[in-house]
Amino acid sequence: MQRRDFIKTSILGTGILMGSNIMNANPSKIKKYNLTFEYEINFESANDVKIWIPMPSTTSFQKPSNIKIQGSYDTHKVYIQDQTPVIYAQYSKKPKNIFTSVDVLVLPNHSNEKSNHLENFLQPTRYIRTDGMIEKVAKTLNSGNEKEKIAKIYKWSKENIDYENAKDIARIRTIVSKDNTPILSGENISINTVFVSLCRACGIPAREAVGLDTKTHTTLSKAEAYINNTWNQYDPLAVIKNPSFDGFEKWQDNFILLNYERDMKIQNSIVSLFDNAFATIDGDKLKYYENKNFIKNITIKTLG
């Protein structure tokens, strides 16, 4: 049986009230997208299948609405975990599928959100490091005021890492500099992980942003740093790929934000980056199985 739910009012908030940026913006500057996620899990013998799907967050520069959920699930819910919006579904019989659709308004390059608790954005994590080579590089950049520090970090990032090492790759690896020096190792890391690590090592609160590329419909990361009592956007990956673009204090206009989550706990698993659906088959992670058993289709349409 296919079940269908329509959620007219956005509940995909991050605990932040809708900011004045997008509410008061010139309509011609706002971009509107329709985002759809479609998943099918083909395990006829499976008795218990669960899936968690990241959804777009509500921020001062982004507003999701008109959420639609349809599928053959036994039960489902939409909830917030660690300020991250999630759709959860559980299945016991075949077929196992889910379709979600959401409209998203985006005001590019207009983040000015405040945070009262910045301690977590200064601490190292499993893959955001402040020791080793990150610490060594940070010592050469950690002088001047915070604006001068962030400018040095941005300059070092774009000049010392090539695109092959800078880009988002969903596996465990080591990012090396142009002179072949190992800089950072981890899972699902990119130049934005390096940038955020350097910021934290220099005493600047920073975080990775994960989402979707509106042109390629693939996952993409960017960065933010807390400067002058507000979150500012930085896009070192975009400038490394296209040197004519200036990603200092702005993101390239190709992004729908999902969340800022690193090392999110889902049941008994730690998800390094919650930029894709996570599923379990009778308690085992879906990634342990062949890809042919999992069909994923993500589409993004520009509405205006």
Side-chain angles (χ1 to χ4, degrees):
M1 179 178 67
Q2 295 287 318
R3 300 184 179 185
R4 181 177 300 173
D5 298 276
F6 300 93
I7 305 173
K8 293 299 183 182
T9 303
S10 172
I11 62 172
L12 303 184
T14 61
I16 302 171
L17 293 176
M18 178 94 94
S20 60
N21 282 353
I22 198 166
M23 293 291 290
N24 300 324
N26 184 329
S28 66
K29 295 184 178 180
I30 297 175
K31 295 198 170 187
K32 184 176 182 180
Y33 301 97
N34 175 257
L35 171 61
T36 63
F37 298 89
E38 189 171 7
Y39 299 97
E40 183 177 338
I41 303 174
N42 299 313
F43 289 92
E44 294 186 6
S45 61
N47 294 315
D48 182 47
V49 173
K50 299 174 181 177
I51 188 169
W52 293 259
I53 304 169
M55 296 298 288
S57 293
T58 297
T59 69
S60 65
F61 56 87
Q62 179 173 287
K63 177 190 176 184
S65 63
N66 298 328
I67 310 157
K68 302 173 185 177
I69 306 171
Q70 180 179 348
S72 59
Y73 41 77
D74 296 327
T75 184
H76 86 288
K77 63 180 178 179
V78 182
Y79 68 99
I80 303 295
Q81 179 179 330
D82 300 328
Q83 298 187 337
T84 298
V86 183
I87 291 178
Y88 164 80
Q90 184 173 2
Y91 309 80
S92 59
K93 298 178 180 179
K94 60 176 184 181
K96 301 170 180 67
N97 59 64
I98 188 168
F99 172 88
T100 67
S101 172
V102 59
D103 293 337
V104 186
L105 297 178
V106 179
L107 181 62
N109 302 316
H110 281 78
S111 175
N112 65 352
E113 293 179 354
K114 309 290 184 181
S115 284
N116 294 323
H117 305 288
L118 297 171
E119 296 84 3
N120 289 341
F121 303 112
L122 286 167
Q123 300 301 315
T125 68
R126 282 196 303 167
Y127 303 130
I128 298 175
R129 305 305 307 166
T130 56
D131 56 1
M133 187 54 65
I134 290 293
E135 181 181 22
K136 184 176 180 179
V137 173
K139 286 180 178 179
T140 69
L141 309 172
N142 195 11
S143 62
N145 58 39
E146 59 183 17
K147 287 283 286 185
E148 292 170 332
K149 290 180 186 179
I150 198 76
K152 292 176 186 177
I153 294 168
Y154 178 80
K155 184 175 186 292
W156 186 94
S157 299
K158 71 176 183 178
E159 291 181 353
N160 287 274
I161 308 294
D162 62 28
Y163 180 67
E164 288 303 310
N165 279 276
K167 64 185 180 181
D168 295 285
I169 297 180
R171 58 176 171 82
I172 296 174
R173 63 168 175 144
T174 297
I175 293 176
V176 301
S177 63
K178 290 179 180 179
D179 64 3
N180 211 33
T181 300
I183 301 298
L184 182 68
S185 297
E187 183 179 8
N188 291 351
I189 59 175
S190 71
I191 185 59
N192 292 299
T193 322
V194 173
F195 180 87
V196 169
S197 294
L198 288 171
C199 286
R200 294 189 185 187
C202 290
I204 298 173
R207 61 189 181 185
E208 290 173 277
V210 297
L212 295 168
D213 188 321
T214 58
K215 296 179 174 60
T216 65
H217 304 186
T218 56
T219 56
L220 183 65
S221 70
K222 298 183 186 290
E224 290 187 350
Y226 204 76
I227 303 292
N228 292 335
N229 296 315
T230 189
W231 285 108
N232 291 266
Q233 299 173 341
Y234 296 88
D235 205 340
L237 179 58
V239 72
I240 291 171
K241 184 177 182 179
N242 178 12
S244 65
F245 175 77
D246 182 9
F248 189 79
E249 295 186 341
K250 68 178 179 180
W251 289 345
Q252 190 175 24
D253 183 13
N254 64 337
F255 192 62
I256 295 175
L257 173 70
L258 293 177
N259 55 72
Y260 298 100
E261 197 62 31
R262 263 281 180 193
D263 291 341
M264 182 171 178
K265 186 174 182 179
I266 298 180
Q267 287 200 321
N268 295 323
S269 298
I270 302 296
V271 180
S272 62
L273 208 61
F274 193 38
D275 59 353
N276 260 307
F278 176 85
T280 59
I281 312 297
D282 292 332
D284 292 328
K285 296 179 185 178
L286 178 64
K287 70 178 184 178
Y288 295 156
Y289 297 87
E290 296 181 30
N291 289 337
K292 67 180 181 180
N293 296 311
F294 182 61
I295 300 172
K296 175 180 72 173
N297 185 36
I298 297 174
T299 60
I300 301 172
K301 295 181 180 179
T302 302
L303 303 179

